Amino acid sequence: DGIRDTSVTGVQTCALPILVTGTGSTNNSAFAISGTTLTYTGSAASAGSLSIRVRVTDSASQTYEEAITITVS
């Protein structure tokens, strides 16, 4: 019939993100996370397209990681 259940049955809350090592963490040292704020701490000389890797963990201890490219000018 083409109908599917899209209801949410188990919403999880996530802890604050952290920087982690792994593929895409090349420029983690140029950033800091405080609470929900990501701050660039690197020098102007290293501005450009920078790659960081972040992880969040939900209340069921499940983790999600992703590499993110950020452009700093």
Side-chain angles (χ1 to χ4, degrees):
D1 60 18
I3 298 173
R4 62 182 173 172
D5 182 6
T6 59
S7 60
V8 176
T9 57
V11 176
Q12 301 291 326
T13 58
C14 290
L16 297 174
I18 60 171
L19 295 167
V20 294
T21 59
T23 303
S25 66
T26 307
N27 304 110
N28 278 10
S29 63
F31 292 88
I33 296 177
S34 178
T36 58
T37 303
L38 176 69
T39 304
Y40 179 65
T41 59
S43 68
S46 61
S49 289
L50 306 175
S51 178
I52 63 171
R53 186 171 189 85
V54 295
R55 175 191 297 154
V56 293
T57 304
D58 69 16
S59 57
S61 297
Q62 299 296 310
T63 61
Y64 176 77
E65 290 185 19
E66 186 168 335
I68 301 168
T69 300
I70 300 171
T71 302
V72 177
S73 56

